Amino acid sequence: MTKDSLRSTEAMLVLLDGWLAADWLRALDVAFARFLARQAAEREEALSPLLLLAAALTSHQVGRGHVCLHIGQLASHDPDAILVLPPENAIPETGIGATIRPSVLLSSVTLEDWESALDEPSTVSCISVAEHPAAPTPLVRMGPRLYLRRLWTYEQIIATGIQSRLEAAVACSSPDSEAASQLSQILDVMFASDGTLEPGVVDWQKIACGLAARSQFSIITGGPGTGKTTTVLRLLVVLQAVAMQDAEVSHRRPLRIRLAAPTGKAAARLSESISGSVEALSLAGLADSDQLKASIPKVVTTLHRLLGTRPGTRKFRHHANNLLPIDVLVIDEASMVDVEMMAAVFQALPPQARLILLGDKDQLSSVDAGAVLGELCQRANEGAYTPATSQWLLKVAKQAITKDFIVADTQFAGDKSIDQGIAMLRRTWRFGDESGIKALAELINTGTLDSAALQPFQLGRYTDVAWLRLRGSVAASMAVIADHALSGSPASFPVAASLADIWSENGPVGYHHYLEIMRNSKPTDDAPLSVFDEWAKLVLEAFSRFQVLCALRAGPYGVSGLNDTIAEALRARNLIQRSGNWYAGRPVLVTRNDYGLKLMNGDVGITLSVPAGIAGSSEARATGRILRVAFPLSDGSGGIRWVSPSRLQSVETVFAMTVHKSQGSEFGHTCLVLPDRPSPVLTRELIYTGITRARNWFSVLVPDEQIFIDAAKHRVVRSSGLGELLGLSR
């Protein structure tokens, strides 16, 4: 059977159909292979069965978040592990195709066999890094990597856009130039000592601003609470001050700056943070300080809104032939941006425009294909700065970095390497030295978590972390989860005698909190809309103080199971009146962009009971109460958008959400629930992201501690060629 599948086109297609029937592959993956076979037949050609398999697997890998299929790894490693086939929870092996695992099928296939099979110029363009395919073939092979053509194109656009900006001349690149001297003075004003850093300690925020001002492309990365938003705000002031004081510019025009984020939730958070920080900036010593403050944007948009979506198409209104009218673009939460969106950004950017990426390189990558930020920040931990960059930082930013962060001039493409524009913020301001959240996140991130390291968290050493071991049956575990979700019970956390007020109103809460706010502060029926807006804001803020996160979508420990469990527990305690799909108190998550309603994927709203006539209803108030869903506006205004439930087509209940969906969000108390068995999605990045969504309190509920430990050791490395294109390697 194995040999027949590799020798016969029909046998290979039968095998792929079997994998499809067993849910090992998507219908799209198999359809792509069949399309190529049909096209070849029309040309009176016959494609190698191994090529058809490669095509289906390349599509499969893209569906799993990879940009390409690494055929070299298929030939030298375990194909089952690389492809995650069969997938977790695969149905029993039935049918002719499902009986053959990739490891069995490919046991005798070598790299030379793959290369020979892919030597089909009508279907595969085989090129080097510097070449471009002569014909528009559906597949592109670059070394050991096989791409769908559009994914290869996206990577090329990104790499070209970055490289051209790295090579662009910047006036301050020479430390002895007048522009560098001017930049140095402005940096000194923006980073005047405020006593928060000890003398002699490296100010990585100042370094980040200096490096970003020196390059047309830059990245500022760092964990939660390291000051990424504060740093980029100061950077924008620095860039504006330099632009407005340029003596060679006859008309001093402020830079056109735009701020964007991948999701509405991330955009709203950044808008809120920036709007409250701009006015607090101390610009004493800078000319035109009022004008400088006014020139810093306070509204953050989503990338989709920035580029201008076109319904029914993957294309945007802004592109290579209709560029964005901007000089500087800052993208927050850049770890969430996939290769397709990042390529669209580069296509729409004017050649001279700066691009600044902001984000945590250690978070989960985008849901769709690619891990752009992580790929670009491979050497961020070690710095990899050249001696010339070190000297520039010493003279212009007045910061002396240690030799540990310096590499030879000849290494990594010298001063034009991407590393020279990347800064990692290394000091956490949000968490103190005794923070369990900080300690646990560091253990996860460094890969040093084991049973011994976990014990202090299990035994209550930290007052901001609770470890709850789920024991017994699934039903018993669900009851524990429901109780914790409702109360965020202080009894779940260790009690510290030195923190007598730890369980005050600022302590950890559960979902009972927002429902009490909803019930106890409800306006009277004759109150104006503005009062209902304020009520909605109170409820939304209270809801944001607690969130259950999980790794899976299906099963009792997944989104669907936990949402039902928690909703039923709330109903049993008369906290909600759940008589149908919609009810007062139901929190919902938008799962697809809705431009008509101005709602974005990731937006969270709360269903509230309001008098008819409120929030745009044409009904008279005398007709009683109706349900409306309140969403916070993402423009930083603090306003509320009221939407009828009947208009919301793509939403789901959000008592529990996946860790993926939580990116770009922050909660006062975060509860992470892990399943009772291993899963490919349980990774270091997922655990780290879940922990770092917590601002003050973190609790973890898990049936088996080993699942937590194993997940922390499992890193995600997505196949991509972007690093190679930019002189990086893994």
Side-chain angles (χ1 to χ4, degrees):
M1 182 61 64
T2 300
K3 293 180 179 180
D4 288 345
S5 298
L6 294 178
R7 291 174 180 174
S8 162
T9 296
E10 286 305 316
M12 176 57 70
L13 293 176
V14 169
L15 180 142
L16 294 177
D17 284 339
W19 283 359
L20 171 62
D23 286 332
W24 289 19
L25 294 179
R26 302 175 300 170
L28 177 65
D29 308 330
V30 178
F32 180 53
R34 286 192 168 276
F35 167 77
L36 295 182
R38 187 168 58 252
Q39 291 289 96
E42 291 175 358
R43 297 191 302 268
E44 298 184 349
E45 298 176 0
L47 298 181
S48 163
L50 199 55
L51 190 155
L52 297 178
L53 176 64
L57 294 180
T58 301
S59 175
H60 164 74
Q61 289 296 78
V62 170
R64 295 183 53 240
H66 297 274
V67 180
C68 56
L69 172 70
H70 200 297
I71 56 175
Q73 292 179 348
L74 278 185
S76 60
H77 295 74
D78 177 11
D80 293 351
I82 292 170
L83 301 168
V84 191
L85 292 180
E88 183 204 29
N89 299 327
I91 64 174
E93 295 184 356
T94 57
I96 190 168
T99 60
I100 304 176
R101 291 172 177 262
S103 56
V104 176
L105 179 68
L106 302 174
S107 59
S108 61
V109 177
T110 65
L111 179 59
E112 290 73 21
D113 293 331
W114 284 110
E115 291 174 340
S116 176
L118 296 174
D119 187 16
E120 292 281 353
S122 61
T123 304
V124 185
S125 296
C126 297
I127 62 173
S128 71
V129 172
E131 293 176 333
H132 290 265
T137 56
L139 292 169
V140 175
R141 182 167 75 84
M142 190 171 69
R145 298 181 178 90
L146 184 64
Y147 293 84
L148 301 181
R149 183 182 179 84
R150 67 181 179 87
L151 273 299
W152 178 85
T153 301
Y154 296 151
E155 259 194 10
Q156 295 292 316
I157 291 170
I158 296 169
T160 301
I162 291 174
Q163 196 62 54
S164 65
R165 283 169 172 78
L166 293 175
E167 296 172 354
V170 178
C172 64
S173 58
S174 170
D176 300 318
S177 65
E178 182 179 344
S181 177
Q182 182 187 57
L183 173 62
S184 181
Q185 294 173 20
I186 296 172
L187 285 172
D188 285 345
V189 172
M190 291 305 301
F191 289 88
S193 177
D194 56 6
T196 56
L197 283 176
E198 299 83 1
V201 174
V202 175
D203 190 341
W204 286 100
Q205 293 188 9
K206 191 175 185 181
I207 286 176
C209 284
L211 292 176
R214 182 179 178 238
S215 176
Q216 292 289 81
F217 175 81
S218 58
I219 298 175
I220 300 174
T221 186
T226 52
K228 295 186 293 292
T229 303
T230 301
T231 302
V232 81
L233 189 58
R234 289 177 171 178
L235 170 60
L236 296 180
V237 173
V238 169
L239 295 177
Q240 284 288 21
V242 170
M244 294 169 64
Q245 294 177 22
D246 191 342
E248 297 180 2
V249 179
S250 56
H251 300 287
R252 295 175 181 172
R253 175 181 63 81
L255 295 171
R256 297 167 298 177
I257 300 173
R258 296 296 300 274
L259 307 175
T263 67
K265 185 69 174 179
R269 274 196 61 212
L270 186 59
S271 291
E272 181 181 356
S273 178
I274 284 184
S275 60
S277 301
V278 170
E279 295 304 320
L281 281 173
S282 175
L283 303 184
L286 292 182
D288 304 319
S289 59
D290 290 341
Q291 186 179 0
L292 276 175
K293 284 187 178 182
S295 68
I296 304 301
K298 301 180 180 64
V299 175
V300 184
T301 186
T302 64
L303 286 171
H304 285 86
R305 284 173 176 154
L306 176 74
L307 297 176
T309 54
R310 296 167 61 181
T313 175
R314 301 172 77 108
K315 298 181 179 179
F316 294 98
R317 186 165 54 86
H318 288 288
H319 46 73
N321 297 318
N322 182 29
L323 300 175
L324 289 163
I326 60 177
D327 301 304
V328 179
L329 174 62
V330 177
I331 300 179
D332 192 24
E333 297 291 351
S335 63
M336 300 170 64
V337 183
D338 59 80
V339 288
E340 182 175 6
M341 177 58 76
M342 193 65 79
V345 168
F346 274 104
Q347 284 185 303
L349 275 182
Q352 74 282 0
R354 291 177 186 267
L355 177 61
I356 303 163
L357 302 183
L358 203 63
D360 186 344
K361 66 179 180 63
D362 297 312
Q363 280 190 29
L364 280 167
S365 300
S366 57
V367 174
D368 294 317
V372 178
L373 189 70
E375 184 86 352
L376 298 179
C377 292
Q378 291 179 41
R379 295 195 290 257
N381 283 332
E382 55 263 39
Y385 300 120
T386 64
T389 297
S390 174
Q391 290 300 313
W392 189 94
L393 288 171
L394 182 61
K395 186 162 187 176
V396 179
K398 299 176 184 175
Q399 295 296 307
I401 59 175
T402 65
K403 63 180 181 180
D404 295 339
F405 298 111
I406 302 173
V407 296
D409 265 324
T410 56
Q411 197 173 356
F412 307 149
D415 267 2
K416 295 301 181 184
S417 75
I418 188 172
D419 306 283
Q420 312 314 301
I422 298 176
M424 179 176 171
L425 307 182
R426 302 168 190 271
R427 178 164 181 170
T428 299
W429 301 93
R430 179 185 303 170
F431 306 116
D433 292 338
E434 293 299 310
S435 168
I437 296 174
K438 175 185 175 183
L440 187 56
E442 288 177 350
L443 285 170
I444 297 293
N445 223 2
T446 56
T448 55
L449 184 74
D450 55 22
S451 296
L454 195 58
Q455 281 188 358
F457 301 93
Q458 296 172 312
L459 298 176
R461 159 68 177 80
Y462 297 97
T463 58
D464 58 345
V465 173
W467 180 276
L468 285 80
R469 174 74 182 273
L470 300 174
R471 302 179 185 277
S473 65
V474 171
S477 295
M478 292 300 105
V480 173
I481 293 170
D483 286 343
H484 187 68
L486 267 59
S487 65
S489 173
S492 302
F493 287 85
V495 177
S498 60
L499 299 174
D501 62 343
I502 201 168
W503 313 125
S504 67
E505 62 181 359
N506 295 319
V509 297
Y511 288 134
H512 75 95
H513 176 65
Y514 89 92
L515 291 168
E516 288 178 354
I517 296 292
M518 181 185 75
R519 180 177 56 202
N520 296 336
S521 60
K522 183 188 303 182
T524 59
D525 284 5
D526 58 353
L529 177 59
S530 60
V531 175
F532 280 91
D533 285 348
E534 291 302 315
W535 174 51
K537 283 191 280 187
L538 281 175
V539 177
L540 285 163
E541 190 281 330
F543 181 77
S544 72
R545 289 190 60 188
F546 178 77
Q547 181 65 56
V548 172
L549 303 180
C550 53
L552 309 177
R553 292 201 57 81
Y557 297 96
V559 168
S560 57
L562 290 176
N563 273 319
D564 285 342
T565 294
I566 295 169
E568 179 56 28
L570 291 170
R571 186 202 62 78
R573 291 163 175 78
N574 294 319
L575 291 171
I576 60 172
Q577 303 299 317
R578 188 188 181 195
S579 57
N581 195 36
W582 288 99
Y583 49 88
R586 181 193 180 194
V588 294
L589 175 76
V590 177
T591 58
R592 185 179 301 173
N593 295 340
D594 189 325
Y595 300 100
L597 295 177
K598 298 181 179 179
L599 294 175
M600 295 292 110
N601 184 8
D603 287 352
V604 172
I606 301 289
T607 310
L608 297 172
S609 175
V610 298
I614 286 292
S617 173
S618 59
E619 303 172 63
R621 292 196 180 191
T623 61
R625 285 185 163 266
I626 55 176
L627 294 177
R628 288 291 182 265
V629 186
F631 290 93
L633 295 177
S634 60
D635 58 5
S637 65
I640 293 293
R641 174 176 289 110
W642 296 88
V643 181
S644 170
S646 63
R647 301 186 66 192
L648 294 170
Q649 303 303 312
S650 300
V651 295
E652 60 186 28
T653 303
V654 71
F655 291 121
M657 70 167 67
T658 62
V659 176
H660 266 102
K661 286 289 187 182
S662 74
Q663 289 188 97
S665 301
E666 184 181 276
F667 312 98
H669 176 192
T670 299
C671 170
L672 177 63
V673 178
L674 295 187
D676 57 353
R677 63 195 64 188
S679 167
V681 304
L682 293 176
T683 63
R684 178 182 303 180
E685 291 81 1
L686 182 136
I687 300 295
Y688 171 80
T689 302
I691 293 170
T692 54
R693 298 311 88 204
R695 185 172 57 249
N696 305 112
W697 315 93
F698 176 72
S699 51
V700 58
L701 289 79
V702 59
D704 184 351
E705 70 174 27
Q706 195 59 45
I707 290 175
F708 189 88
I709 293 171
D710 290 345
K713 295 177 180 177
H714 178 205
R715 295 212 66 175
V716 173
V717 179
R718 290 186 169 181
S719 294
S720 165
L722 182 60
E724 182 180 344
L725 291 171
L726 293 167
L728 297 162
S729 62
R730 272 194 165 129

